[in-house]
Amino acid sequence: MRRLVLLTITVLIGAACLSLGVWQLGRLTVRRAANGQALIGRTLPPLVADSMSAHPLLSNRRAILTGELDPTHEFVLRNHLIRGVPAVQIVTPLRIPGRDSAVLVNRGYVPAPDAVDPGPAEWAEPGTRVFHGTLLPVPDRGDGTPIARDGRETWKSLDLRAVRARLPYPVVGVYLVAQPVPADGVAHTINGTVYPFRAELPPLDEGPHLMYAIQWFGIAAAVLAFGGLFILKGGPRGRATQHSTVDGTW
């Protein structure tokens, strides 16, 4: 009876671990498919503001947007690191002529000694600007909460609902990761480096899913192997114990 209970527990744990491994492989498949679609989107001709409304799937599309930044309502994202230097990211709404809705532009990094407050650093880009970059979806986790220090508001990350609640005008659900171009007129320099220092696109990697799947399969194999070994070793010993009870010898 005990061996039956142990066998049942071993099989259940092993099956659960196998299921988790298969689940991770499924997530890997989805991730690979999404990365493939993203690569296709990034190779297509860049969009401009007038053509964005005709493309319902804007994520991972290159774009060239022209307009004026609204620094009054920009977002400072804390706790970043660029080239080993603590920094913040600057995300500013871009008001495009002839459009009611704005597009957020991630303009890149500005050094901040504590990765929260950049102090008196300057990063304005006034006037009509042209930004080249790639559109990515604004995360919608519902957990956007700013903190304030010395009168400056900083955010952990972008959150679509928090962004829309904060801005006095509509904003689309994607933001532009601005890329440097040869004619970029950003004029603020610190120790010879131009700021904001443009951010790189998040890598299209496969994540840890394959590693997790291998780990779960390994755990399943170990559980089944050790469980089976324990049951097999316990069988003869149990029979020997029963025999010694009958004839009085070990």
Side-chain angles (χ1 to χ4, degrees):
M1 182 63 181
R2 290 182 179 178
R3 285 190 295 167
L4 179 60
V5 172
L6 181 58
L7 176 63
T8 302
I9 294 174
T10 300
V11 171
L12 288 176
I13 294 176
C17 294
L18 287 173
S19 298
L20 289 170
V22 172
W23 175 62
Q24 288 292 343
L25 289 179
R27 296 188 66 188
L28 176 62
T29 300
V30 173
R31 183 104 173 221
R32 285 174 173 171
N35 288 346
Q37 290 297 320
L39 288 173
I40 292 173
R42 294 181 187 185
T43 60
L44 296 175
L47 301 173
V48 295
D50 292 339
S51 63
M52 286 179 61
S53 59
H55 295 269
L57 299 178
L58 300 176
S59 180
N60 285 290
R61 287 295 304 269
R62 292 183 298 145
I64 303 174
L65 302 180
T66 303
E68 292 192 14
L69 297 169
D70 179 12
T72 304
H73 295 101
E74 70 187 359
F75 297 82
V76 178
L77 308 184
R78 60 183 179 270
N79 295 335
H80 287 275
L81 197 68
I82 178 66
R83 295 182 176 179
V85 177
V88 294
Q89 276 191 349
I90 307 300
V91 180
T92 312
L94 182 71
R95 304 306 308 272
I96 300 172
R99 295 178 63 91
D100 294 333
S101 58
V103 179
L104 297 178
V105 177
N106 185 329
R107 298 197 283 135
Y109 298 94
V110 172
D114 57 358
V116 176
D117 187 0
E122 292 289 339
W123 55 82
E125 298 181 67
T128 301
R129 307 284 303 182
V130 179
F131 291 96
H132 299 244
T134 301
L135 297 168
L136 296 179
V138 180
D140 191 14
R141 306 184 185 96
D143 59 355
T145 303
I147 63 173
R149 179 185 296 179
D150 298 329
R152 188 187 299 279
E153 186 180 72
T154 63
W155 298 69
K156 179 181 178 180
S157 62
L158 289 178
D159 180 79
L160 185 58
R161 275 172 276 184
V163 166
R164 286 176 170 169
R166 181 174 179 264
L167 295 179
Y169 40 74
V171 62
V172 298
V174 292
Y175 69 99
L176 185 79
V177 181
Q179 301 297 298
V181 294
D184 205 332
V186 183
H188 305 293
T189 61
I190 301 176
N191 296 329
T193 302
V194 177
Y195 292 101
F197 184 82
R198 300 303 190 205
E200 296 181 355
L201 289 172
L204 293 175
D205 56 37
E206 296 182 350
H209 304 302
L210 181 58
M211 179 184 66
Y212 288 163
I214 293 173
Q215 289 177 349
W216 282 120
F217 290 144
I219 294 172
V223 168
L224 294 173
F226 282 108
L229 182 63
F230 188 79
I231 292 171
L232 291 175
K233 289 183 65 177
R237 184 175 180 181
R239 289 195 297 271
T241 302
Q242 184 179 5
H243 178 72
S244 66
T245 304
V246 174
D247 58 16
T249 61
W250 181 258

